[in-house]
Every structure is written in structure tokens, then in C-alpha cells.
Amino acid sequence: MKATILFSGGKDSALSSLLLEPFFDHIELVTFSFGQEDTGKVAAFAARQLGYPHRKMVFEDKVLDRALEILISTGYPNDALNYVHAIAVETLAQNCEFVADGTRRDDRAPILSHNAICSLEDRLKMHYLRPLAGLGGKTIKAMASQYIDFQEELSENYPASDFEVGLRHALIDRHGSREVERIFPKNHMHTRVIRRKRFVKEIERKEDQAC
Amino acid sequence: MKATILFSGGKDSALSSLLLEPFFDHIELVTFSFGQEDTGKVAAFAARQLGYPHRKMVFEDKVLDRALEILISTGYPNDALNYVHAIAVETLAQNCEFVADGTRRDDRAPILSHNAICSLEDRLKMHYLRPLAGLGGKTIKAMASQYIDFQEELSENYPASDFEVGLRHALIDRHGSREVERIFPKNHMHTRVIRRKRFVKEIERKEDQAC
């Protein structure tokens, strides 16, 4: 079985991959971008550190156009994040049997509704997995720290590979930095994976005990 | 770090444990019962198969009394299941830093509300984990099958170690089988773990490749 994980290069989607690793023969990470230069670099570096194959995909131009329209008309990021995330998941679900992401218990966006998930799984005969859906922020930090080193970055910093940073950057390009200040929260942070600290040493020891 | 998992002996709480295993130094399984003879046997057998230490705990008598009152007054199982599950989680949370269960994405009961989870984590400075909260039934079956053999049983069959079977049994004892037929669904199934098929062979192979 192969699991395909929507990957931003941050600790959340990395932990999702690490949680699934023992259950799948193959793990593949996929990063979507809006075609901006360098966007996928952070994720590609993180994927190499984690030891998983990595693939970059670019949204069609009209997806960015529509996402920016939603940002400007709503005046906050959530609906636009939900819009691009849903398209990314649906795109992967066309060809992949197991599609996962790093969305968390306490995330308000991006998030698919329960009805949207059931529709997706029924229509496309696939599995949509949210391995972090039952974990809080502190738990995720504690568990991710067992396997990876990561650092926090201001979401104003570029390049990065997550949707929020991509949308901020495109908004500046087309509408100026005032619109970013109006729509996005100040001092928002994201993480990026720096290093995988271990593979499965602890489990091997347990296996020895069991034998 | 130690994870304490509310364990029924079935595939769901077993998969929860398997998902957490690589991230914790110690896994401990805990099964609550209403004091009925043999209740913990199925869970104790399953825990041995999985290779984890197992502890049995018995609810105070008043918990069963109240659960039966709720069953009879509501006429359906969900509120009573939520009541006993919440007490079990709260009891473990008093002394354990990481408490997990096997509740799933599509479960309607037992389930803690988001507010109840936040209150629990804030009050008791602990982590409550639902590793299956983002997984559907078919996904859980596919993932659990990678590590364990399990069988399905009619929930009318006794003994078993999950709350639904325990409540059914106590209701028959005190109020007769007609009340069970009125309140619980017919042909409800639960699972029990028969065997752990492997420890971490697949991951070891991957580690070899990475080195």
C-alpha cells in the first residue's frame, strides 16, 4: 500500500508521514504551489531529510486567481485556504488510493467538512487520512520532537512551501503588502523540518525484548 | 514518555496503540469493567498478543447504576456510552500524562466534545490523544490488518471487554433481555485481536535503504 501525503515541509505534515510510515510500503510526499519560484525548495529539502520521495505539483492559474478573489472579498484567510486545500486533496484523490494531510485537531482552516470527506471517499473509492485530527498542538510538538528537529519561521518569510505563505506572497505581488496586512494575522508562524533525528531505534529495542 | 491507552481488546484501540508505539518509550493498556467476572479476559489476552503491559480497573458501583439509569431513560445507548467513557478518560487523566483511546472519525459514541477535551487538558495538564480521529472505518481495517489478525463477534456474545458489551450484560442481569432488545441495536458487532502478525520488519528494511 502507498500513502500520498500533502506536504508543506513543516512539522505537522512530517509527523503525519512518520505516523503512517510503519503501515505503508511506500510513502510519497507531494507539495502544491502557485507556480512561484523557489516555493517547493523548503519542502523538497525537508522531504530529503525525512527520507521520502517528493513530488511538486503546480495549481492551474485559475486556482490562484479564485483564491485571491476569495481573500479580498472575505477579508480573512480561512475560506481561501479551504478552497486551495480542497482542490489539492481532490487532485491527489483522482489517482492515489490513500491521501493524507497534516491538518490538526484544533485547526480552523484548512479543513474539509465531514460531508465533503464522505463524498470524496465514496466518489473516488479512496481513503482520506488526517493522522493529526485527534491530537492537540502540544501533543504534536512532543511527538514530532521524537523524530525531527524543526524550526519556527515567521510566515512573512519567503520562500516556504505552505499554502498560507504562497497566498501571502501572491497577494503582495498583485495587490501590495497593505492587503496582506489587512487580511492575514500579524506574526503568524509556520515550521520547517531541519533534520530527521532517528529512524526506528526505539522500536527495534522493543522487538528484541519481545523475542 | 509513556502513553496509556483505554483498551477494549478490539482492533480500534489496538491500532491506536500501534500508531503511538514508535513515539513513546512505554505503552500501557488499561481496561475498565463494571466488575463483571471474565470481563477483562478478552482484553488481557489481546494485550499479551500485542506485547504491551495491561492493567484492569473497575468502575465504582455508582457508575454502573447511573449508566443503567441513563440507558433506560433515554432508550438508546449513546448517552450512557459517553458517560462511562468520559469517566474512564478522566480517571486515567488524573495520573497519566498521555491518555489515548480508539474512538474513530465516524463514531457517534463514545465521544468527548471539543470543549470537554480542552477542559480536560487544561485542568489536568495532560494530553488526550485520539489517533483514529481522522480515519474512516475502511482505512482503519486496512491499516490494522498490516499488524494484527482480528475477528468480528456479535456484541450479544459474552465475555468481551468493551463498554457496550458490559452495559448489555449488566442490563440483562438487572432488567432482563427485553430491555437490551429495546435499547441496543440488533446484530451489533465488535472485534477482538487474535494475534500480532509482525513487529517492525518493514521499517527495518527501509532503514537499511536509507543508510
Side-chain angles (χ1 to χ4, degrees):
Chain A
M1 304 198 298
K2 182 173 110 175
T4 305
I5 294 130
L6 199 55
F7 185 63
S8 72
K11 77 169 186 321
D12 297 343
S13 42
L15 177 59
S16 260
S17 316
L18 292 164
L19 274 160
L20 297 180
E21 183 182 276
F23 297 86
F24 290 85
D25 305 311
H26 304 284
I27 296 281
E28 180 192 32
L29 308 181
V30 178
T31 303
F32 278 79
S33 79
F34 301 107
Q36 299 146 336
E37 212 183 328
D38 293 342
T39 312
K41 275 191 183 171
V42 169
F45 173 83
R48 275 197 305 279
Q49 294 301 313
L50 291 168
Y52 301 129
H54 181 243
R55 186 155 54 102
K56 292 176 199 168
M57 292 186 74
V58 178
F59 286 118
E60 291 179 46
D61 289 344
K62 65 181 182 189
V63 174
L64 178 58
D65 296 343
R66 180 73 193 121
L68 294 178
E69 271 174 26
I70 298 172
L71 277 178
I72 288 165
S73 65
T74 61
Y76 59 83
N78 291 10
D79 291 356
L81 286 170
N82 284 337
Y83 168 72
V84 295
H85 173 260
I87 290 177
V89 171
E90 180 94 24
T91 304
L92 293 179
Q94 303 288 335
N95 300 305
C96 306
E97 193 183 354
F98 292 87
V99 175
D101 63 26
T103 56
R104 322 178 328 162
R105 182 185 78 191
D106 302 333
D107 281 347
R108 281 180 301 170
I111 193 96
L112 287 175
S113 72
H114 192 259
N115 284 349
I117 293 170
C118 293
S119 157
L120 186 75
E121 291 189 331
D122 286 350
R123 276 185 293 116
L124 300 175
K125 308 288 173 228
M126 53 77 70
H127 304 247
Y128 170 59
L129 291 75
R130 297 179 58 216
L132 312 191
L135 309 178
K138 286 180 191 169
T139 312
I140 288 167
K141 208 165 177 175
M143 288 176 67
S145 301
Q146 298 293 312
Y147 280 83
I148 54 175
D149 287 329
F150 51 88
Q151 68 187 32
E152 290 200 88
E153 291 272 340
L154 271 173
S155 293
E156 292 147 46
N157 294 351
Y158 184 79
S161 307
D162 72 358
F163 293 149
E164 176 149 350
V165 177
L167 288 177
R168 280 171 182 262
H169 197 66
L171 199 60
I172 291 176
D173 266 4
R174 295 206 198 168
H175 300 275
S177 56
R178 281 227 179 138
E179 277 298 85
V180 171
E181 287 159 26
R182 178 175 75 90
I183 294 169
F184 285 93
K186 270 206 176 103
N187 299 322
H188 184 270
M189 306 294 284
H190 68 276
T191 59
R192 54 177 68 179
V193 173
I194 301 304
R195 190 174 69 93
R196 180 164 180 165
K197 294 194 281 191
R198 67 177 196 191
F199 282 75
V200 284
K201 288 186 191 107
E202 293 301 315
I203 321 177
E204 283 176 328
R205 204 190 307 148
K206 274 182 210 152
E207 187 176 25
D208 290 343
Q209 285 167 0
C211 288
Chain B
M1 304 197 299
K2 181 173 111 175
T4 305
I5 294 131
L6 198 56
F7 185 63
S8 72
K11 78 168 186 321
D12 297 343
S13 42
L15 177 59
S16 260
S17 316
L18 292 164
L19 273 160
L20 297 181
E21 183 181 278
F23 297 86
F24 290 85
D25 305 311
H26 304 284
I27 296 282
E28 180 192 31
L29 308 181
V30 178
T31 303
F32 279 79
S33 79
F34 301 107
Q36 300 148 336
E37 213 182 327
D38 294 341
T39 312
K41 275 191 183 170
V42 169
F45 172 83
R48 275 197 304 279
Q49 295 300 314
L50 291 169
Y52 302 129
H54 182 242
R55 187 156 53 102
K56 292 176 197 167
M57 292 187 74
V58 178
F59 285 118
E60 290 181 47
D61 290 344
K62 65 181 182 190
V63 173
L64 178 57
D65 296 343
R66 180 71 192 124
L68 293 178
E69 272 174 26
I70 298 172
L71 276 178
I72 287 165
S73 65
T74 60
Y76 58 82
N78 291 10
D79 291 357
L81 286 171
N82 283 338
Y83 168 72
V84 297
H85 173 259
I87 290 178
V89 171
E90 180 92 23
T91 304
L92 293 179
Q94 303 288 333
N95 300 305
C96 305
E97 194 184 352
F98 293 87
V99 175
D101 63 25
T103 54
R104 322 178 326 162
R105 182 186 77 190
D106 302 334
D107 281 347
R108 280 180 302 171
I111 194 95
L112 288 176
S113 72
H114 192 259
N115 283 349
I117 294 170
C118 294
S119 157
L120 186 76
E121 291 189 331
D122 286 350
R123 277 186 292 116
L124 301 174
K125 308 289 174 228
M126 51 78 69
H127 303 247
Y128 171 59
L129 291 75
R130 298 178 59 216
L132 312 191
L135 309 178
K138 285 180 192 169
T139 312
I140 288 167
K141 210 165 177 175
M143 288 175 67
S145 301
Q146 298 293 312
Y147 280 83
I148 54 175
D149 287 330
F150 51 88
Q151 68 187 30
E152 290 200 87
E153 290 271 339
L154 270 173
S155 292
E156 293 147 45
N157 294 352
Y158 183 79
S161 307
D162 72 358
F163 293 148
E164 176 149 349
V165 177
L167 288 178
R168 279 171 182 261
H169 197 66
L171 198 62
I172 291 176
D173 267 3
R174 294 206 198 167
H175 300 276
S177 56
R178 281 229 179 136
E179 277 297 85
V180 171
E181 286 159 27
R182 178 175 74 89
I183 294 168
F184 284 93
K186 270 207 177 105
N187 300 322
H188 184 268
M189 306 294 284
H190 67 275
T191 58
R192 52 178 68 180
V193 172
I194 301 304
R195 190 173 70 92
R196 179 163 179 164
K197 294 194 281 191
R198 68 177 196 192
F199 282 74
V200 284
K201 288 186 192 107
E202 294 301 317
I203 321 177
E204 284 176 327
R205 205 190 305 150
K206 274 181 210 155
E207 186 176 27
D208 290 346
Q209 285 168 1
C211 289

